[in-house]
Amino acid sequence: MNILDRYHAMEYGPAPEARNEADAWLAARDFGKALFIDGGWKAASGGKTFDTSEPSSGKLLAKVSDASAADIDAAVAAATKALPKWSASSGYQRAKVLYAIGRAMQRHQRLFAVLESIDNGKPIRESRDIDVPLAIRHFIHHAGWAQALDKDFPGHKGVGVVGQIIPWNFPLLMLAWKIAPALAAGCTVVLKPAEFTPLTAILFAEICERAGVPKGVVNIVQGGPEAGAAIVNHPGIQKIAFTGSSEVGKIIRKATAGSGKKLSLELGGKSAFIVFEDADLDSAVEGLVDGIWFNQGQVCCAGSRLLVQEGIAEALIAKVKTRMSRLRVGSPLDKNTDIGPLVDPTQLDRVKGLVAEGAKQGAVCWQPDAALPATGYYHLPTLATGVSPANILAQEEVFGPVLATMTFRNTEEAIELANNTRYGLAASVWSENVNLALHVAPQLKAGVVWVNGTNMFDAACGFGGYRESGFGREGGREGMLEYLAAKLPLGPVIKPAVVSAQPVEQADGATIDRTAKLFIGGKQVRPDGNYSLAVATANGKLAGEVGFGNRKDIRDAVSAARACKGWPEATAYNRSQVLYYLAENLSGRAGEFATRLTELTGATPKAAREEVDQSIERLFLYAGLADKFEGRVHQPPARAVTLALHEPVGVVGIVAPDASPLLGLISLVAPALAMGNTVVAVPSERYPLLATDLYQVIEYSDVPAGAINIVTGRSAELAGVLAKHDDVDGLWVFADAETCAKAEAESIGNLKRVWSGNGRGLDWASDEAAGDAFLRRAVEVKNVWVPYGD
């Protein structure tokens, strides 16, 4: 036998990672006192524990303290007590602590990796080479942000006490993603790990003790649903950060509605892996292995939908099957293992059930001929072909090693198939033509797009999704903003509108009657219900009547906004010209609008003219910023650049206030338009004639039909309709507290981004009520990773 024969005859031998240090660590701990609160270790107040088991064998690892609501109270009290001193400490002092955490983790990184693989089941190569190094990177990276806060985020401060709930698929990495920016911002933390995977969080708490983290700054509470609910509902917490399923994310959104808590949700996904006919197929196959079988497919951004161009589909599928047959399924502590066990038997049963249902719906499910280990929660890698777009395997997040395959004919069909999902977390585009890849990437409704790569992450680059994949970002500049608050100039409490049944005194009839309709799709239209609302002047006389908009009118307005492609696709420079022109034309009728303001609100002529002039100035401001509030280019420690692109949110619903009725409306509509959004606006309920007077200005200012739609009526009712509408992508509400809370609670259908004043108005005339704070709410940040080099 020659050397070449020996090479081909070689088989993998066992390459086990030693676990003796991890077993010694497990044996030395009292997990009945695993709650880390106020710098000390405590048992659960009720004495309850839960079991954590090893996925590769099913053997019990530990019985861990199960926190109750009383324990959460204690943790929040400790975090609240520690907050003033921690938030007042200098950036340098916080940076030193973050750096010490990172260095201490480096010294114990092998122990972290082995514990992670034992507890979670992921292959040791992934824990050792990806999860732990990236977790360390987050702490050292955010040490720099701690010192840069005053310079890079002027006028911002930490939000306060933060409640964080993390999942079981990346226990240590998710912990780092959440705790590092919170500490850098000057927040204190109460974090709950997943019940399935508590071990590395306990080891991390020990690191906090060694690294000099002040008592109460970091509190880690193990527990189940009761502990999670107590964190979400606790009045002493100012922000909730959650990573997990979309179903639980919706529950949290509804539970926090009206509370004023800041909220970020990083939820599920059904990411598209798009392979064009000019792609390097061998590279694409290797990327696919990483995209769907990394961590057994238990990844929220897993490339679980393979979209392949028809001309290469047969060749690519053949290569994928060959590669799948060589994947090694086995012990997570074997360095040769590609696929370890799923985390728990319940997860294994769920994956099996979804595969069976997918086959029942017509998919052909193929698995390599390989034996599974005798013990543990293993599932073979599975390839589903013949999958229709409506098949459960194409629509539901399996969270297992299952790949659904579909074909496409051209670029437009690929984009349509990729966006045919309620999720919007990530996507991967494979083509040797970088022009094609960068043409496709901005059209994908996903927060992260990888070009000729997949599962690339870095602390300097934001990660997060659109739609039912949640809102908010982890990492980078935008991740820091999730833990900071800007001080907006609050106005008075907004009182609920009082619907009066008293008749309005008729006007003198000296002028010709003007019918104020709705403004939808660039046209003035009658309300669907054919009812009108009387509008009174400041002295109680009839100023006019406006359309009484209803659910159907909102539907029509949203349809017009969604159909308006010209505005979001226009260049920022073109949008700026239109906004300048709108300001110019409003300026030509400034006297008329000032007179109307005085008539309706009773403002003095001088004050009314000031509001009109400020409205024109605000339009000028956003016209000028339309082509200046741009994204960034990140340079992560990899052979890639990351383009952090600013994209419009989409269709934005706006419920404007009664206070400063013209300036308030324009202060909200203008930034949304500047960033390329289309708008459905509900103007001041009390003074809607100011908005209806704008119709003509809009009509001769070159605004595309559907870019601005205005529906007059009852603010509370129309806010609810906008909140429930799944074709509305964002909602801004400045109304009474009850209306704001209902809008947040009813937005869970598509988890749209909601910005509300929580029942408070703003000082719309102040400089702080304009600029970047508003523009940030008008954009989604999409991170496009572009690798380079051979």
Side-chain angles (χ1 to χ4, degrees), residues 666-746:
I666 285 177
S667 294
L668 293 167
V669 169
L673 291 174
M675 293 296 99
N677 300 283
T678 54
V679 170
V680 177
V682 177
S684 160
E685 179 177 332
R686 189 174 178 185
Y687 309 116
L689 289 174
L690 285 159
T692 63
D693 288 351
L694 275 174
Y695 296 171
Q696 292 180 2
V697 179
I698 295 169
E699 285 173 327
Y700 58 73
S701 297
D702 295 339
V703 179
I708 309 175
N709 305 273
I710 299 176
V711 179
T712 54
R714 302 292 185 206
S715 294
E717 295 174 14
L718 298 180
V721 177
L722 286 166
K724 293 176 183 177
H725 202 303
D726 285 351
D727 248 1
V728 175
D729 303 296
L731 179 59
W732 302 353
V733 183
F734 281 85
D736 62 276
E738 182 180 358
T739 298
C740 291
K742 284 186 176 180
E744 291 176 355
E746 293 173 348

Side-chain angles (χ1 to χ4, degrees), residues 645-664:
L645 307 178
H646 283 178
E647 296 188 338
V649 171
V651 176
V652 176
I654 291 175
V655 180
D658 287 336
S660 303
L662 180 63
L663 180 59

Side-chain angles (χ1 to χ4, degrees), residues 531-560:
Y531 286 98
S532 296
L533 294 173
V535 179
T537 64
N539 59 12
K541 293 184 179 295
L542 180 68
E545 294 181 317
V546 296
F548 192 171
N550 63 16
R551 184 183 303 272
K552 175 64 164 55
D553 298 313
I554 291 291
R555 271 206 318 268
D556 291 343
V558 172
S559 295

